[in-house]
Amino acid sequence: MSILAIVGVIVSSSAMFIVLSGFSGLKNYSLEFISFVSPEIKISPIKGKSFEFTDEMKRFLDIEGVSYGLSYEDKALLSVNENNRIVKVKAVDLNFPRKSIDSIVYQGLWFNKGSDEVVVGLGVAYELGISTFDAISPIKLYVPKSGKGQVFSEKDILKSVNVLASGVFSLNEEYNNSLIFCDFELAKNLFEIKEQHVGSVDVYKSNISYEKISSFFGPEFNVETRIQQNKSIYKMLNTEQVAIYLIFSLIVVVALFNMFGALMMMVIEKQKNLQTLMVLGVTKTQVGKIFFYQGGLISIVGCVIGLSVGVLLVFLQQKFSLFMITPSLAYPVVFDIKNFLFVFFTVCVLGGLASTIVSFYVKKSIQQISQK
């Protein structure tokens, strides 16, 4: 019974650690893609879609040696081959990191400066039938015209421009189905952005603190870190991680029920031996401690062995890619000391609780035996 109990603890603690490590790997993998389109710090206006990028702002960023770029984001209607979709247009300048471009371009090329070219998401390209450099079926982008006046046709309320898809990018399902990239000058013309106005200043690399940048730009601007820019994604991933932790904690509880059952069987089986111990002068508390220590030993030893097995499998996956998502992509796993401590703490606490209950039952049963 003790062997079965310790095997259950080994398997459950090992499984819990491996799953948490796998989820940490998937989380890092997802956030790595987000970093390709989300700058380290994003500076945008609280009111309106754009603001004037003054010489003073430029001097501040240049003096501090900040690597930054100018961008603008807005929605547009994309139409091609009589298929339509509302997409988010993200316009960037030449300072957009080359590393990000090389990482996200799935097919074709990045757009050229000053050209009427766009890079569309893989989902948009697939569902709307967009091909790269297809001049026969050009893409049309429609945006509302600013101003007032009488409306006689769609030309009075919509401004359009013909563009060519120079490439296709692939990030994640959300971005692939809703985002396109274009040159900043194209967006200025399409959305009628005023001269020297920008939608945001994207800081890609900075030697100065977030607080200093936030203090310089003042309360009229949103200065957001990468986490703040993607609150919903981070919140979703953290919620999923908590859910997985709770689910596997229940599995550990089930495994510890085996230990609880094993100890209870020993108590019933060893009643005569317990009577002998009582006759020899052993107190009820001391007898209870025997079973408490046995339960604690099963929990700790099983947890240590299970974690050792889990760590070994995680490192083998990192080194030899034992499990693959696709033929070219290994399942990502990350060894995180937090996951290690979470599992150890969970098993030890729950094992201690089960051992305490058994110890209490032993004291009660001894009292009944002594009365008989």
Side-chain angles (χ1 to χ4, degrees), residues 48 78 100 109 175 191-192 370:
L78 186 151
S100 297
L109 304 170
Y175 286 127
F191 295 102
E192 298 180 349
S370 59

Side-chain angles (χ1 to χ4, degrees), residues 187-206:
K188 287 182 70 174
N189 176 51
L190 179 63
F191 295 102
E192 298 180 349
I193 306 170
K194 295 179 182 178
E195 197 63 33
Q196 292 189 334
H197 276 62
V198 300
S200 66
V201 177
D202 298 337
V203 177
Y204 300 117
K205 192 175 181 182
S206 175

Side-chain angles (χ1 to χ4, degrees), residues 8-9 11-16 19 244-258 346-347 350:
V9 176
V11 172
S12 60
S13 57
S14 178
M16 187 178 187
V19 170
I244 289 173
Y245 172 74
L246 292 176
I247 291 169
F248 272 83
S249 294
L250 290 176
I251 294 175
V252 172
V253 169
V254 172
L256 290 174
F257 265 114
N258 292 331
T346 300
V347 174
L350 294 177

Side-chain angles (χ1 to χ4, degrees), residues 151-348:
V151 177
F152 296 102
S153 67
E154 67 174 24
K155 294 182 180 179
D156 296 323
I157 59 172
L158 294 175
K159 183 176 182 179
S160 65
V161 62
N162 289 339
V163 295
L164 196 66
S166 64
V168 176
F169 74 85
S170 179
L171 276 168
N172 59 35
E173 187 175 356
E174 180 184 355
Y175 286 127
N176 290 352
N177 293 327
S178 63
L179 185 66
I180 69 171
F181 288 92
C182 73
D183 183 55
F184 187 70
E185 295 300 322
L186 172 62
K188 287 182 70 174
N189 176 51
L190 179 63
F191 295 102
E192 298 180 349
I193 306 170
K194 295 179 182 178
E195 197 63 33
Q196 292 189 334
H197 276 62
V198 300
S200 66
V201 177
D202 298 337
V203 177
Y204 300 117
K205 192 175 181 182
S206 175
N207 297 322
I208 57 176
S209 65
Y210 164 85
E211 289 76 15
K212 188 172 182 179
I213 295 176
S214 182
S215 175
F216 173 81
F217 280 89
E220 295 181 355
F221 291 89
N222 275 325
V223 181
E224 300 173 303
T225 62
R226 186 170 288 140
I227 294 176
Q228 292 169 333
Q229 295 168 51
N230 301 279
K231 289 179 183 177
S232 59
I233 295 176
Y234 277 88
K235 185 177 180 180
M236 178 192 71
L237 290 173
N238 290 333
T239 302
E240 288 179 353
Q241 190 167 23
V242 171
I244 289 173
Y245 172 74
L246 292 176
I247 291 169
F248 272 83
S249 294
L250 290 176
I251 294 175
V252 172
V253 169
V254 172
L256 290 174
F257 265 114
N258 292 331
M259 182 192 77
F260 180 83
L263 293 176
M264 294 297 288
M265 290 292 291
M266 289 179 193
V267 172
I268 296 171
E269 185 180 336
K270 303 293 183 181
Q271 282 189 359
K272 292 183 179 180
N273 301 87
L274 295 178
Q275 285 179 328
T276 304
L277 289 174
M278 295 292 294
V279 171
L280 293 174
V282 177
T283 64
K284 292 183 292 182
T285 302
Q286 289 173 327
V287 174
K289 284 182 178 179
I290 292 173
F291 289 92
F292 176 81
Y293 291 143
Q294 184 177 3
L297 190 63
I298 290 173
S299 301
I300 293 173
V301 172
C303 183
V304 170
I305 295 174
L307 284 173
S308 300
V309 173
V311 170
L312 177 62
L313 291 175
V314 166
F315 280 114
L316 287 175
Q317 173 65 11
Q318 290 176 333
K319 186 73 174 177
F320 300 106
S321 301
L322 302 178
F323 300 97
M324 307 291 289
I325 298 177
T326 67
S328 59
L329 178 63
Y331 197 99
V333 291
V334 172
F335 174 80
D336 191 343
I337 191 65
K338 290 182 181 178
N339 293 335
F340 189 94
L341 295 177
F342 272 143
V343 175
F344 185 79
F345 177 79
T346 300
V347 174
C348 288

